[in-house]
Amino acid sequence: MLKKNQIVLTVLAVMIAVAGYLTYTGANKDLLNAGTDNVIDENTGLMDISDEDILAENKALQDANAGDPATDETNGQPGEAVLTGSNNTSVIDFMAEIQLNREQVRTKNKETLLEIINNTNISDEQKQTAIDNMVKMTEYAEKENATETLLSTKGFENTVVSINDNSVDVVIGMTEITDAQRAQIEDIVKRKTEVPAEYIVISLMPKE
């Protein structure tokens, strides 16, 4: 009987131990699975969030750069500076062409007058008239230069003044001026050329 009881106790002890082991193993397995699922879910969530964050961040960066003169392709590149320089060059070229045309006309007139003066078949009276016109053209050139210089000191740069017998043509290297500026230009031209304001014609650069 004692041996049977010992056997029964031993078997029960073994069964309890096995049951405890199985319970412990099952619990660890469930915990491991649960932890694995959590890790997978967290990793999946992190992947999703990372993609969205990257897209959102890129979009925000693009929007910010679009209005940032330091990074925007239109504002940040030297394009605008080149454009400004290009406009300034256009003004200089435009005014230089007008001045060149004035000088070419004047040179041609001087050549004609010289031909009259040197022509032995021309009367002395005609020669004197040609000489007077030559002197007048020289005076015109001096007055034009003085007027342009004064206008430049007053802020009206790239200006061409052309004096004719009956009027003065003034071309300003600007696309628009105020009434006060126009009055100032007329006053300067009138004083330096001694031509009345009603005979002064002010022209501006054409707008692009």
Side-chain angles (χ1 to χ4, degrees), residues 50-79:
S50 297
D51 291 340
E52 294 175 357
D53 287 346
I54 291 173
L55 292 175
E57 184 177 355
N58 289 339
K59 180 64 166 61
L61 184 60
Q62 291 175 357
D63 294 341
N65 288 342
D68 187 359
T71 56
D72 184 67
E73 291 184 358
T74 301
N75 296 329
Q77 294 287 343

Side-chain angles (χ1 to χ4, degrees), residues 174-193:
M174 303 168 65
T175 57
E176 57 183 3
I177 56 175
T178 64
D179 292 339
Q181 289 175 322
R182 181 176 292 274
Q184 185 181 15
I185 294 170
E186 287 181 351
D187 180 67
I188 292 174
V189 175
K190 181 174 62 176
R191 287 190 290 109
K192 302 304 285 187
T193 64

Side-chain angles (χ1 to χ4, degrees), residues 150-171:
L150 183 55
L151 286 171
S152 179
T153 61
K154 298 299 182 180
F156 302 102
E157 299 179 355
N158 301 317
T159 302
V160 177
V161 178
S162 300
I163 302 176
N164 303 308
D165 290 337
N166 299 321
S167 63
V168 178
D169 294 325
V170 183
V171 182

Side-chain angles (χ1 to χ4, degrees), residues 31-90:
L31 180 60
L32 180 61
N33 290 336
T36 304
D37 292 339
N38 290 336
V39 172
I40 293 174
D41 292 340
E42 290 177 359
N43 288 338
T44 303
L46 288 174
M47 290 297 293
D48 294 339
I49 293 174
S50 297
D51 291 340
E52 294 175 357
D53 287 346
I54 291 173
L55 292 175
E57 184 177 355
N58 289 339
K59 180 64 166 61
L61 184 60
Q62 291 175 357
D63 294 341
N65 288 342
D68 187 359
T71 56
D72 184 67
E73 291 184 358
T74 301
N75 296 329
Q77 294 287 343
E80 189 170 352
V82 171
L83 180 61
T84 303
S86 177
N87 288 340
N88 188 43
T89 303
S90 298

Side-chain angles (χ1 to χ4, degrees), residues 87-155:
N87 288 340
N88 188 43
T89 303
S90 298
V91 172
I92 296 175
D93 291 343
F94 180 79
M95 303 308 295
E97 183 177 357
I98 294 177
Q99 191 173 26
L100 179 62
N101 290 336
R102 182 192 66 183
E103 297 304 323
Q104 287 178 342
V105 171
R106 186 153 295 168
T107 299
K108 184 176 181 180
N109 291 337
K110 286 183 178 181
E111 290 175 354
T112 301
L113 292 174
L114 286 174
E115 289 178 359
I116 295 174
I117 294 172
N118 295 326
N119 192 336
T120 57
N121 297 323
I122 299 296
S123 65
D124 292 341
E125 183 179 357
Q126 291 176 320
K127 288 184 178 181
Q128 186 60 46
T129 301
I131 293 173
D132 293 341
N133 288 333
M134 183 80 74
V135 173
K136 184 185 298 184
M137 290 177 60
T138 302
E139 292 176 352
Y140 285 172
E142 293 176 353
K143 290 181 179 180
E144 289 168 353
N145 183 64
T147 305
E148 291 172 356
T149 300
L150 183 55
L151 286 171
S152 179
T153 61
K154 298 299 182 180

